[in-house]
Amino acid sequence: LAGRARGIVDRAAIACLRLTLYTTLDRSDRSVEVCLEFQRFRGINWPPHPSDDQVREEYERIWQQLGNRSIEELVDLPLMTDPECLATLDVLTGTVTPALFTDKNLVSLVICRMVNLSLERGNSDGSCFAYVWLAVILGPYFGNYQAGFRFGRLGYELVEKRELHRYQVRVYMTFGSLVIPWTKHVQTGRDLIRRGFDAANRIGDLTFAAYGCNQLNTNLLAAGDALGDVQREAENGFE
């Protein structure tokens, strides 16, 4: 068992590097292949285009595992310690963005599996990203916007209260640009987008720094800011 876990952890580390490289090069198809190859090594065969039934089954398991607990209670789950699960969450976290660009069902399956791993084994840095992305798909894909916002806030609060900071860039940007505007004025999420960009720029996360510029420009336009201000931000982004 120890040898299997070490093999998975080592493969996950290599997979994460490849995922980052291919996503930055706009090769989402190759990123998805990396994830599916890693899952096959773990004995899990996912198709690149899962069926609606596969996604629905994984989604329903979230609510079965949640049981009588409130979404807010999940902030107090114990921290995940299983190295195989931690490694798997890292790979799945890196797969969310390229999966989003390739197949609606695949990104839903990835996110739901991340949440289920968190409910089974405890919270981790990857769980923060999983919860906030569950928020993104719960409304449009499953028609549950109210629960979606609560899960999004859970992901944000895990970063803030439990100091799970590894993916805070992604959590800030996703919550600020894709979740907060459902219930509050679009401008309310702007500070989180800026904080996410600053953090991404500071640590050299090129992909999410670029997403931050895109999201900020969209926010400025949606909020009705002066076009001159939007242009200056766009030019800053190019720089």
Side-chain angles (χ1 to χ4, degrees), residues 18-35:
R18 294 174 68 198
L19 282 164
T20 300
L21 173 63
Y22 288 138
T23 302
T24 304
L25 294 174
D26 195 22
R27 288 302 307 273
S28 295
D29 56 332
R30 296 294 301 275
S31 294
V32 167
E33 289 174 7
V34 169
C35 174

Side-chain angles (χ1 to χ4, degrees), residues 105-119:
N105 281 350
L106 180 61
V107 71
S108 297
L109 182 61
V110 169
I111 293 164
C112 291
R113 178 61 57 88
M114 291 174 69
V115 172
N116 277 317
L117 283 173
S118 302
L119 294 177

Side-chain angles (χ1 to χ4, degrees), residues 56-68:
R56 176 63 61 175
E57 181 180 356
E58 193 72 33
Y59 171 72
E60 294 294 345
R61 198 155 66 89
I62 292 174
W63 299 105
Q64 293 167 8
Q65 293 202 93
L66 183 63
N68 295 324

Side-chain angles (χ1 to χ4, degrees), residues 11 14-15 28 70 85 168 178 223 228:
R11 280 186 175 249
I14 296 170
S28 295
S70 70
C85 286
Q168 71 178 128
L178 301 178

Side-chain angles (χ1 to χ4, degrees), residues 82-131:
D82 184 298
E84 182 177 333
C85 286
L86 287 166
T88 299
L89 272 179
D90 284 343
V91 173
L92 295 180
T93 295
T95 306
V96 168
T97 298
L100 180 68
F101 295 149
T102 57
D103 189 272
K104 168 187 170 182
N105 281 350
L106 180 61
V107 71
S108 297
L109 182 61
V110 169
I111 293 164
C112 291
R113 178 61 57 88
M114 291 174 69
V115 172
N116 277 317
L117 283 173
S118 302
L119 294 177
E120 292 167 6
R121 303 299 180 91
N123 286 325
S124 71
D125 295 273
S127 304
C128 307
F129 190 58
Y131 294 138

Side-chain angles (χ1 to χ4, degrees), residues 197 201 206 209-210 213 217 231-239:
F197 170 80
N201 203 34
L206 176 63
C213 293
N217 294 336
Q231 181 175 346
R232 277 191 292 274
E233 287 290 355
E235 291 171 350
N236 288 339
F238 278 119
E239 291 176 12

